[in-house]
């Protein structure tokens, strides 16, 4: 009897030792697998391995592709414009913008300068909001020009569409990238504009950024670092000035903002919001 009980205890001890051993082994295996998965995930997602997107503005596709290949980026032409002062086939705009941080194999969308102007039809914008009009013009490959405000019950409601200073009828054929001025309503009760900081932003997007805030682009100043069209497309704002009408002390919808551009990043104020 005593011998049987001793044998049973030895068996139980052996069983618990065996079970504990295998539990520890299983836990160790799980840890190894989890560690391996996280290591692989870091490799797959290239954790913390981001690069700064260069400026492709002004390059032709062959030049841009060489730069993209060195950085393991992918280029894709998604749109074209026609700019007389720019070389045909040159890259006009990119997305993501220069200075953005991306991972390898990121796709960069390009807008290039077409060899000849494309004809498009003028959409009907009267009655649209400014934001809707921007979207319609963009989809028609036309550009918003000057915002002209006059008293009306509805702020930013399109009252008239103008081309070269004259009303333009919907359906009229125009060259793509033509400039369309918009006559907009302005309710005095909500006419005060919020002026955004443009500091550090690239030249190609500044005008759209101002229009988004119901403001006009004033004079454009390039410093001595900018000497070519390619330079201007790669330049960024380092100073801005409000052009307030005489007797006005606050910015209102339609106020013009003059912007200064450079290629010298050391000119960007540390706080990033210098304006006069």
């Amino acid at each position: 009897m005593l011998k049987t009980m001793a044998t049973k205890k030895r068996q139980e001890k052996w069983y618990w030792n065996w079970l504990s051993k295998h539990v520890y082994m299983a836990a160790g295996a799980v840890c190894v697998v989890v560690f391996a998965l996280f290591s692989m995930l870091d490799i797959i997602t290239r954790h913390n391995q981001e690069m700064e997107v260069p400026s492709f503005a002004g390059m032709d596709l062959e030049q841009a592709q060489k730069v993209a290949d060195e950085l393991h980026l992918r280029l894709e032409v998604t749109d074209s414009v026609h700019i007389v002062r720019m070389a045909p086939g040159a890259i006009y705009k990119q997305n993501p913008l220069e200075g953005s941080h991306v991972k390898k194999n990121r796709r960069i969308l390009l807008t290039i300068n077409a060899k000849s102007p494309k004809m498009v039809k003028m959409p009907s914008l009267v009655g649209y909001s400014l934001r809707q009009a921007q979207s319609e013009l963009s989809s028609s490959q036309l550009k918003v020009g000057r915002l002209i405000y006059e008293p009306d019950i509805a702020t930013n409601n399109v009252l008239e569409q103008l081309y070269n200073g004259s009303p333009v009828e919907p359906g009229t054929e125009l060259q793509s990238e033509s400039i369309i001025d918009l006559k907009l309503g302005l309710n005095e009760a909500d006419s005060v504009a919020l002026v955004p900081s443009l500091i550090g932003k690239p030249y190609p997007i500044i005008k759209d950024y101002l229009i988004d805030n119901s403001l006009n682009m004033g004079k454009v100043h390039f410093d001595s670092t900018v000497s070519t069209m390619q330079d201007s497309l790669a330049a960024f704002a380092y100073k801005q000035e409000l052009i307030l009408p005489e007797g006005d002390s606050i910015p209102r919808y339609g106020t013009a903002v003059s912007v200064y551009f450079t290629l010298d990043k050391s000119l960007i104020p540390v706080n990033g919001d210098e304006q006069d």
Side-chain angles (χ1 to χ4, degrees), residues 26-94:
V30 169
C31 290
V32 170
V33 170
V34 170
F35 177 78
L37 285 175
F38 275 101
S39 298
M40 291 177 64
L41 188 62
D42 276 352
I43 294 172
I44 293 171
T45 60
R46 298 181 175 89
H47 185 60
N48 292 328
Q49 294 182 22
E50 292 189 335
M51 69 188 74
E52 187 172 307
V53 177
S55 172
F56 294 103
M59 297 183 186
D60 60 34
L61 286 177
E62 185 177 350
Q63 293 172 322
Q65 192 61 62
K66 288 180 180 178
V67 175
D69 288 344
E70 290 176 1
L71 296 173
H72 302 285
L73 296 171
R74 294 181 294 136
L75 301 181
E76 181 177 335
V77 177
T78 58
D79 201 358
S80 64
V81 298
H82 180 69
I83 300 174
V84 176
R85 304 184 310 278
M86 193 174 186
I91 294 169
Y92 171 65
K93 195 183 293 186
Q94 67 186 68

Side-chain angles (χ1 to χ4, degrees), residues 122 125 129-130 133-134 137 144-149 158-162 180-184 211:
M122 178 69 206
L125 306 176
S129 68
L130 173 57
Q134 281 180 273
L137 288 173
V144 179
R146 186 163 164 255
L147 306 182
I148 306 165
Y149 283 92
V158 178
L159 304 176
E160 196 170 13
Q161 53 197 39
L162 308 171
I180 307 300
D181 296 331
L182 298 176
K183 190 175 288 186
L184 301 159
I211 290 171

Side-chain angles (χ1 to χ4, degrees), residues 109-228:
L109 307 181
L110 304 176
T111 299
I112 65 170
N113 191 33
K115 294 181 179 179
S116 58
K118 177 182 177 181
M119 301 304 292
V120 297
K121 290 187 177 182
M122 178 69 206
S124 177
L125 306 176
V126 174
Y128 280 19
S129 68
L130 173 57
R131 189 173 297 276
Q132 289 172 318
Q134 281 180 273
S135 178
E136 283 292 317
L137 288 173
S138 178
S139 63
S140 298
Q141 297 185 22
L142 297 168
K143 287 186 171 295
V144 179
R146 186 163 164 255
L147 306 182
I148 306 165
Y149 283 92
E150 61 181 46
D152 190 73
I153 192 171
T155 296
N156 273 335
N157 176 57
V158 178
L159 304 176
E160 196 170 13
Q161 53 197 39
L162 308 171
Y163 175 64
N164 286 338
S166 300
V168 54
E169 293 294 324
T172 302
E173 287 204 340
L174 303 170
Q175 287 188 6
S176 62
E177 302 304 306
S178 291
I179 305 299
I180 307 300
D181 296 331
L182 298 176
K183 190 175 288 186
L184 301 159
L186 180 63
N187 189 323
E188 285 297 321
D190 57 2
S191 63
V192 178
L194 177 65
V195 181
S197 172
L198 308 174
I199 306 306
K201 291 182 171 54
Y203 171 73
I205 71 165
I206 291 287
K207 186 174 181 180
D208 288 340
Y209 201 75
L210 286 169
I211 290 171
D212 285 341
N213 288 274
S214 301
L215 299 166
N216 281 308
M217 175 79 96
K219 291 183 178 180
V220 174
H221 306 269
F222 292 103
D223 73 0
S224 59
T225 65
V226 180
S227 57
T228 66

